[in-house]
Amino acid sequence: MTSFVIKAHEDRALPPAWNTAPDCPFCRIVRGEAPSYILYENDRILAILDIMPLRPGHTLVIPKTHISRVSELPDDFAAQCGIAVSKVARAVSGALQNTALNVVCNQEYAQAVPHVHYHIIPAPRPGTGEGESPAHASGPPVSDNDLPEAHDRVTQPLTEKEMHWREYELRNALKEDDARRLVTTIRALLAPQRL
């Protein structure tokens, strides 16, 4: 009986509730209802430039089906994400002439959009000032003491609010000219890989 039940679920279509979420910003991009800078696309995966990048080339790899948690990602989607992350990371590295990258996928903790997505973030280059708090950040600089949850950093980790604020301070809005240049360069490097 158990094997019959399992067999009945092989190759089944994903439940409709997983396919899309009306208010999800990534689902809106997949449906073409929101603008994006697409670097890579196939029938299951989309890779776009992050509109608030930590550094130039910060890319998001997203399954086109709405799935909130990476632990719930079906194997075939997980495989497609892995292939896309590898291809896009190779192209981003080539475009920026920087092989140092962080590849991150958050689940709930630090996940700003509840739709599985992988970040490909070029690492800062020593001596370039990348990764330092930007001068344009709105408002005066924020010290640990200005945050309500400030506490001893030697014995206590950052709170979730502090962590999100620190990450936000490091981000800049993606400029259209920069995005177009990156899209052109990265797509050119992806083309020989036979998407």
Side-chain angles (χ1 to χ4, degrees):
M1 173 85 169
T2 303
S3 62
F4 173 78
V5 171
I6 292 171
K7 191 76 170 159
H9 289 277
E10 287 181 1
D11 300 319
R12 70 185 170 121
L14 290 172
W18 283 19
N19 290 331
T20 187
D23 296 329
C24 172
F26 294 159
C27 289
R28 292 186 68 235
I29 289 170
V30 168
R31 290 190 307 263
E33 297 170 2
S36 65
Y37 295 99
I38 298 173
L39 301 175
Y40 173 86
E41 182 173 14
N42 66 27
D43 60 328
R44 294 182 176 221
I45 305 296
L46 187 65
I48 60 174
L49 289 176
D50 192 311
I51 61 168
M52 290 294 287
L54 284 169
R55 283 179 282 287
H58 183 163
T59 300
L60 304 175
V61 175
I62 306 161
K64 288 184 173 181
T65 296
H66 185 84
I67 300 169
S68 297
R69 296 175 189 87
V70 71
S71 63
E72 297 170 351
L73 198 60
D75 291 346
D76 55 337
F77 280 89
Q80 289 295 313
C81 283
I83 291 166
V85 164
S86 181
K87 285 181 178 184
V88 174
R90 190 170 26 257
V92 168
S93 292
L96 298 176
Q97 310 241 323
N98 182 6
T99 59
L101 301 170
N102 288 333
V103 176
V104 180
C105 182
N106 299 311
Q107 178 167 302
E108 294 178 8
Y109 178 76
Q111 184 180 7
V113 177
H115 183 129
V116 171
H117 58 286
Y118 293 81
H119 294 260
I120 300 172
I121 307 168
R125 295 177 197 217
T128 64
E130 291 177 353
E132 297 171 7
S133 188
H136 80 280
S138 60
V142 177
S143 73
D144 286 348
N145 294 329
D146 293 333
L147 293 170
E149 296 86 6
H151 49 272
D152 180 4
R153 296 286 167 249
V154 175
T155 59
Q156 299 292 319
L158 292 173
T159 66
E160 188 172 353
K161 183 176 181 180
E162 290 169 324
M163 180 197 60
H164 283 293
W165 183 255
R166 294 263 172 94
E167 181 180 289
Y168 174 76
E169 284 183 310
L170 293 174
R171 292 179 177 246
N172 294 303
L174 181 62
K175 295 177 183 161
E176 191 161 339
D177 289 345
D178 293 340
R180 288 184 181 172
R181 181 184 48 77
L182 283 167
V183 166
T184 300
T185 305
I186 293 169
R187 282 185 181 168
L189 292 168
L190 281 165
Q193 296 181 33
R194 289 189 225 146
L195 307 177

